[in-house]
Amino acid sequence: PTARQAPRTKKGKRKVYFQPEIETMGRAEMEALQLKRLQETVAYVYERAPMYKERLDALRVKPEDIQSLDDIRRLPFTVKDDLRDNYPFGLFAVPREKVVRIHASSGTTGNPTIVGYTYRDLEIWKEVIARALTAYGVTRGDIVSVGYGYGLFTGGLGAHYGVEHLGATVLPTSTGNTEKHIRLLRDLGVTGIACTPSYALYLAEALHKQGLSADDLKLRIGAFGAEPWTENMRREIEERLGIQAYNIYGLSEIMGPGVAYECGCKNGSHIAEDHFYPEIIHPETGEVLPLGQEGELVLTTLTKTGMPLLRYRTKDLTTLMPGTCECGRTSVRFTRILGRSDD
């Protein structure tokens, strides 16, 4: 698949989307798709994931009881401890032999959180990353350096396969050896970079120490995530590296990077809501809050088959933003993460 252009706007500019039929889908059509996938997911986990069957039975909820999107409130929450308590494979909804990749957290405070992906899951992951890259302005002609860590962390491999899926060239630099990284950025004419915002600032400092500046590079786009960062950091990164810096959001339990992403408007992160259904709840009561109110982000996977999760409490505090973005995307956005409900 390659990015496709939408019709020209009144000003004569083209808006480019990776999947315009999804990214500009009308609200009623999107909600119908979400409901269908939610019903399929609830039936799927009821049959295949013992923890969910037990909890749904305790709540006297059957899959056929989910008749509207509002009925998601009848479903149980999932928290990180559920992954640790079911370590290693207890939340897998497929036989272990159908899981083609496993990622894991560090597990410094107990059992690591294990996440399993089927081949279909990986195809969806590549797809949402490609959407994000296209929203940033990455094209098939770009070279993108992936400076996230590779391995059990989802950032490196997630971004890597998304770049390839878009058709751009990936440079798997990973972390460390910054001097060599800078040389490759310069000599290969790398135009995009994906890494943590703190590493981007470190890279800018290392560039300065080598007597180089942004003018010596061809970088123009940066995708940053995996840690909190501020608007001041964004401005500093953009100034020192001569790029446009965009936020990318994800978490291993749900998928990895690509769950949500900014566009050129930099006015909230678009949720890939055909795959991940968002809610905002009161962190203490669990009550679902109306759009526009600040609270804890809760996500339900709608298409994952390896380890689908119902109403996963991310602990991230934010606000959902409805309405069509100036970029033309109709997906719900959320504001910059404001903090953590557990911090």
Side-chain angles (χ1 to χ4, degrees), residues 71-84:
D71 287 333
I72 198 170
R73 305 177 189 211
R74 304 180 63 182
L75 302 176
F77 290 116
T78 307
V79 296
K80 180 166 282 192
D81 281 346
D82 292 324
L83 278 69
R84 294 190 174 117

Side-chain angles (χ1 to χ4, degrees), residues 55-109:
R55 291 188 179 180
L56 289 167
D57 285 344
L59 293 170
R60 298 184 179 180
V61 176
K62 299 293 185 184
E64 55 268 26
D65 295 331
I66 307 302
Q67 295 296 316
S68 71
L69 287 176
D70 283 341
D71 287 333
I72 198 170
R73 305 177 189 211
R74 304 180 63 182
L75 302 176
F77 290 116
T78 307
V79 296
K80 180 166 282 192
D81 281 346
D82 292 324
L83 278 69
R84 294 190 174 117
D85 293 344
N86 286 275
Y87 175 87
F89 304 135
L91 286 182
F92 284 13
V94 294
R96 207 281 309 151
E97 292 77 12
K98 291 192 175 182
V99 172
V100 298
R101 190 192 300 170
I102 291 174
H103 284 281
S105 72
S106 60
T108 55
T109 57

Side-chain angles (χ1 to χ4, degrees), residues 25-70:
M25 183 179 286
R27 179 50 36 188
E29 190 179 357
M30 174 60 74
E31 290 181 353
L33 177 63
Q34 289 175 321
L35 176 58
K36 176 178 180 292
R37 290 179 170 181
L38 176 63
Q39 292 169 327
E40 292 171 348
T41 296
V42 174
Y44 184 82
V45 298
Y46 189 80
E47 291 180 6
R48 295 167 175 261
M51 184 191 82
Y52 282 124
K53 184 179 189 308
E54 180 181 331
R55 291 188 179 180
L56 289 167
D57 285 344
L59 293 170
R60 298 184 179 180
V61 176
K62 299 293 185 184
E64 55 268 26
D65 295 331
I66 307 302
Q67 295 296 316
S68 71
L69 287 176
D70 283 341

